[in-house]
Amino acid sequence: MIERSTLEAFLKAGISIIPLKKDKSPNIKSWQKYNKTLYQLGKNVKEFESVGMVMGDINGAETLDVDQKYDIPKKGEATLIERLEKKVELFAPGLWDKLTIATTVNGGYHLIYKVAQMGGSIKNRSKERNKASSSPRNKRSEILHSL
């Protein structure tokens, strides 16, 4: 179970959260409405086995989901996240340090950032060996963090 003070801090910061089960599936019937309104905590917070953060209109947040499970660099080569960091720094010096970066249970990363105007969700699914994938997620999508 997640501490109530942690959940309250997310909500106070304007971060739209939803309760998740340990398997990262929503622990409520419908989560989509929390793209427009913040979740209201009840007397107890037992439904929060984990926490999901809703991306989109409510907070202007997007996330880049960097999936590294198929990234198998050869000895001495940079990993996907290292290559991405180099590219970001090349084109936008200082931006990398401003990103919120969370690790995923599969060894990937979620790069969280805010945008002035929301775009659409893009899925880039590569399951070939040495072809890692990344996809930005925003409107009507969610990023799930297990705490």
Side-chain angles (χ1 to χ4, degrees):
M1 188 171 70
I2 308 300
E3 294 291 324
R4 182 180 195 83
S5 60
T6 300
L7 301 171
E8 288 171 344
F10 282 134
L11 294 168
K12 186 176 180 182
I15 297 170
S16 184
I17 59 172
I18 59 170
L20 301 178
K21 298 174 186 171
K22 287 195 186 281
D23 69 0
K24 297 195 307 182
S25 63
N27 206 3
I28 53 177
K29 289 183 181 176
S30 176
W31 62 267
Q32 288 84 354
K33 67 182 177 183
Y34 297 108
N35 193 10
K36 303 249 185 265
T37 186
L38 293 177
Y39 188 86
Q40 298 297 312
L41 297 176
K43 285 189 177 184
N44 72 50
V45 290
K46 289 181 184 176
E47 71 270 25
F48 281 91
E49 295 173 24
S50 188
V51 178
M53 185 166 64
V54 180
M55 301 282 103
D57 294 332
I58 192 164
N59 53 20
E62 289 187 343
T63 186
L64 182 64
D65 184 10
V66 181
D67 187 355
Q68 292 202 134
K69 62 182 151 196
Y70 300 104
D71 181 39
I72 307 168
K74 294 179 182 167
K75 189 174 182 178
E77 287 183 348
T79 64
L80 175 63
I81 197 73
E82 292 166 338
R83 295 190 309 269
L84 180 59
E85 179 180 4
K86 220 178 237 190
K87 293 282 186 182
V88 168
E89 283 303 308
L90 177 66
F91 291 102
L95 177 61
W96 189 262
D97 291 332
K98 295 177 182 176
L99 295 172
T100 298
I101 302 174
T103 57
T104 68
V105 295
N106 290 323
Y109 297 88
H110 289 152
L111 283 61
I112 305 165
Y113 52 91
K114 289 199 171 206
V115 295
Q117 182 175 358
M118 301 304 295
S121 221
I122 299 169
K123 291 187 179 183
N124 174 16
R125 302 282 187 223
S126 178
K127 292 189 177 177
E128 295 176 38
R129 187 179 168 108
N130 286 328
K131 297 236 177 167
S133 66
S134 62
S135 59
R137 297 181 182 190
N138 48 38
K139 274 190 178 176
R140 291 186 302 276
S141 64
E142 59 186 304
I143 176 173
L144 310 176
H145 295 287
S146 296
L147 299 177

